[in-house]
mmCIF file of all heavy atoms in Angstrom:
data_model
loop_
_atom_site.group_PDB
_atom_site.id
_atom_site.type_symbol
_atom_site.label_atom_id
_atom_site.label_comp_id
_atom_site.label_asym_id
_atom_site.label_seq_id
_atom_site.Cartn_x
_atom_site.Cartn_y
_atom_site.Cartn_z
ATOM 1 N N LEU A 59 -5.776 13.245 -2.723
ATOM 2 C CA LEU A 59 -5.185 11.948 -3.066
ATOM 3 C C LEU A 59 -3.787 11.737 -2.425
ATOM 4 O O LEU A 59 -3.449 10.608 -2.077
ATOM 5 C CB LEU A 59 -5.059 11.809 -4.602
ATOM 6 C CG LEU A 59 -6.400 11.647 -5.368
ATOM 7 C CD1 LEU A 59 -6.121 11.514 -6.860
ATOM 8 C CD2 LEU A 59 -7.193 10.445 -4.863
ATOM 9 N N ARG A 60 -3.058 12.816 -2.270
ATOM 10 C CA ARG A 60 -1.791 12.711 -1.547
ATOM 11 C C ARG A 60 -1.999 12.247 -0.115
ATOM 12 O O ARG A 60 -1.307 11.375 0.401
ATOM 13 C CB ARG A 60 -1.048 14.064 -1.573
ATOM 14 C CG ARG A 60 -0.422 14.445 -2.854
ATOM 15 C CD ARG A 60 0.196 15.840 -2.777
ATOM 16 N NE ARG A 60 1.296 15.841 -1.818
ATOM 17 C CZ ARG A 60 2.561 15.501 -2.113
ATOM 18 N NH1 ARG A 60 2.867 15.136 -3.334
ATOM 19 N NH2 ARG A 60 3.499 15.558 -1.194
ATOM 20 N N GLU A 61 -2.996 12.831 0.533
ATOM 21 C CA GLU A 61 -3.309 12.457 1.906
ATOM 22 C C GLU A 61 -3.825 11.006 2.003
ATOM 23 O O GLU A 61 -3.492 10.286 2.911
ATOM 24 C CB GLU A 61 -4.280 13.428 2.519
ATOM 25 C CG GLU A 61 -4.591 13.193 3.979
ATOM 26 C CD GLU A 61 -3.363 13.335 4.891
ATOM 27 O OE1 GLU A 61 -2.356 13.939 4.464
ATOM 28 O OE2 GLU A 61 -3.422 12.868 6.048
ATOM 29 N N VAL A 62 -4.632 10.627 1.019
ATOM 30 C CA VAL A 62 -5.110 9.272 1.001
ATOM 31 C C VAL A 62 -3.976 8.284 0.826
ATOM 32 O O VAL A 62 -3.892 7.284 1.573
ATOM 33 C CB VAL A 62 -6.131 9.094 -0.182
ATOM 34 C CG1 VAL A 62 -6.366 7.635 -0.498
ATOM 35 C CG2 VAL A 62 -7.446 9.777 0.137
ATOM 36 N N THR A 63 -3.064 8.585 -0.087
ATOM 37 C CA THR A 63 -1.919 7.698 -0.311
ATOM 38 C C THR A 63 -1.028 7.614 0.917
ATOM 39 O O THR A 63 -0.630 6.515 1.336
ATOM 40 C CB THR A 63 -1.070 8.221 -1.523
ATOM 41 O OG1 THR A 63 -1.901 8.342 -2.647
ATOM 42 C CG2 THR A 63 0.050 7.207 -1.834
ATOM 43 N N ARG A 64 -0.758 8.755 1.529
ATOM 44 C CA ARG A 64 0.057 8.802 2.724
ATOM 45 C C ARG A 64 -0.585 7.956 3.837
ATOM 46 O O ARG A 64 0.105 7.172 4.520
ATOM 47 C CB ARG A 64 0.270 10.245 3.208
ATOM 48 C CG ARG A 64 1.265 10.371 4.375
ATOM 49 C CD ARG A 64 1.056 11.689 5.102
ATOM 50 N NE ARG A 64 -0.237 11.776 5.748
ATOM 51 C CZ ARG A 64 -0.497 11.178 6.885
ATOM 52 N NH1 ARG A 64 0.358 10.391 7.496
ATOM 53 N NH2 ARG A 64 -1.711 11.271 7.396
ATOM 54 N N THR A 65 -1.857 8.082 3.999
ATOM 55 C CA THR A 65 -2.576 7.367 5.037
ATOM 56 C C THR A 65 -2.505 5.843 4.824
ATOM 57 O O THR A 65 -2.204 5.068 5.764
ATOM 58 C CB THR A 65 -4.090 7.759 5.058
ATOM 59 O OG1 THR A 65 -4.159 9.165 5.354
ATOM 60 C CG2 THR A 65 -4.860 6.985 6.105
ATOM 61 N N ILE A 66 -2.731 5.403 3.579
ATOM 62 C CA ILE A 66 -2.667 3.967 3.296
ATOM 63 C C ILE A 66 -1.264 3.424 3.439
ATOM 64 O O ILE A 66 -1.068 2.356 4.052
ATOM 65 C CB ILE A 66 -3.195 3.702 1.855
ATOM 66 C CG1 ILE A 66 -4.664 4.134 1.721
ATOM 67 C CG2 ILE A 66 -3.065 2.211 1.534
ATOM 68 C CD1 ILE A 66 -5.170 4.088 0.306
ATOM 69 N N VAL A 67 -0.287 4.135 2.892
ATOM 70 C CA VAL A 67 1.077 3.675 2.936
ATOM 71 C C VAL A 67 1.563 3.561 4.373
ATOM 72 O O VAL A 67 2.249 2.574 4.754
ATOM 73 C CB VAL A 67 2.003 4.595 2.109
ATOM 74 C CG1 VAL A 67 3.489 4.255 2.375
ATOM 75 C CG2 VAL A 67 1.714 4.463 0.635
ATOM 76 N N GLU A 68 1.264 4.548 5.192
ATOM 77 C CA GLU A 68 1.651 4.528 6.601
ATOM 78 C C GLU A 68 1.010 3.362 7.368
ATOM 79 O O GLU A 68 1.618 2.676 8.161
ATOM 80 C CB GLU A 68 1.326 5.852 7.273
ATOM 81 C CG GLU A 68 2.294 6.961 6.950
ATOM 82 C CD GLU A 68 3.755 6.638 7.315
ATOM 83 O OE1 GLU A 68 3.956 6.183 8.468
ATOM 84 O OE2 GLU A 68 4.634 6.778 6.465
ATOM 85 N N LYS A 69 -0.288 3.147 7.092
ATOM 86 C CA LYS A 69 -0.997 2.037 7.773
ATOM 87 C C LYS A 69 -0.371 0.690 7.413
ATOM 88 O O LYS A 69 -0.178 -0.200 8.250
ATOM 89 C CB LYS A 69 -2.473 2.087 7.422
ATOM 90 C CG LYS A 69 -3.351 1.069 8.131
ATOM 91 C CD LYS A 69 -4.776 1.089 7.646
ATOM 92 C CE LYS A 69 -5.521 2.323 8.142
ATOM 93 N NZ LYS A 69 -5.858 2.246 9.575
ATOM 94 N N ALA A 70 -0.086 0.528 6.094
ATOM 95 C CA ALA A 70 0.514 -0.707 5.650
ATOM 96 C C ALA A 70 1.919 -0.883 6.177
ATOM 97 O O ALA A 70 2.327 -1.999 6.590
ATOM 98 C CB ALA A 70 0.555 -0.763 4.119
ATOM 99 N N ARG A 71 2.700 0.187 6.206
ATOM 100 C CA ARG A 71 4.064 0.128 6.696
ATOM 101 C C ARG A 71 4.103 -0.227 8.194
ATOM 102 O O ARG A 71 4.945 -1.020 8.630
ATOM 103 C CB ARG A 71 4.768 1.467 6.446
ATOM 104 C CG ARG A 71 6.246 1.454 6.889
ATOM 105 C CD ARG A 71 6.896 2.789 6.545
ATOM 106 N NE ARG A 71 7.011 3.014 5.138
ATOM 107 C CZ ARG A 71 6.619 4.104 4.480
ATOM 108 N NH1 ARG A 71 6.048 5.103 5.189
ATOM 109 N NH2 ARG A 71 6.777 4.214 3.180
ATOM 110 N N GLU A 72 3.224 0.376 8.970
ATOM 111 C CA GLU A 72 3.177 0.064 10.391
ATOM 112 C C GLU A 72 2.856 -1.395 10.637
ATOM 113 O O GLU A 72 3.473 -2.041 11.508
ATOM 114 C CB GLU A 72 2.144 0.967 11.058
ATOM 115 C CG GLU A 72 2.594 2.436 11.177
ATOM 116 C CD GLU A 72 1.467 3.319 11.631
ATOM 117 O OE1 GLU A 72 0.357 2.774 11.970
ATOM 118 O OE2 GLU A 72 1.628 4.543 11.677
ATOM 119 N N ALA A 73 1.869 -1.913 9.899
ATOM 120 C CA ALA A 73 1.498 -3.318 10.050
ATOM 121 C C ALA A 73 2.656 -4.259 9.620
ATOM 122 O O ALA A 73 2.933 -5.229 10.324
ATOM 123 C CB ALA A 73 0.248 -3.618 9.193
ATOM 124 N N ARG A 74 3.328 -3.894 8.530
ATOM 125 C CA ARG A 74 4.443 -4.696 8.061
ATOM 126 C C ARG A 74 5.617 -4.684 9.059
ATOM 127 O O ARG A 74 6.240 -5.703 9.350
ATOM 128 C CB ARG A 74 4.898 -4.184 6.699
ATOM 129 C CG ARG A 74 6.003 -5.024 6.068
ATOM 130 C CD ARG A 74 6.177 -4.687 4.595
ATOM 131 N NE ARG A 74 6.539 -3.279 4.408
ATOM 132 C CZ ARG A 74 5.773 -2.374 3.807
ATOM 133 N NH1 ARG A 74 4.574 -2.689 3.408
ATOM 134 N NH2 ARG A 74 6.213 -1.143 3.628
#
Side-chain angles (χ1 to χ4, degrees):
L59 290 180
R60 285 177 64 85
E61 184 62 18
V62 165
T63 306
R64 187 199 64 78
T65 299
I66 298 172
V67 169
E68 283 302 311
K69 186 184 286 286
R71 183 178 293 130
E72 288 170 6
R74 184 166 61 248

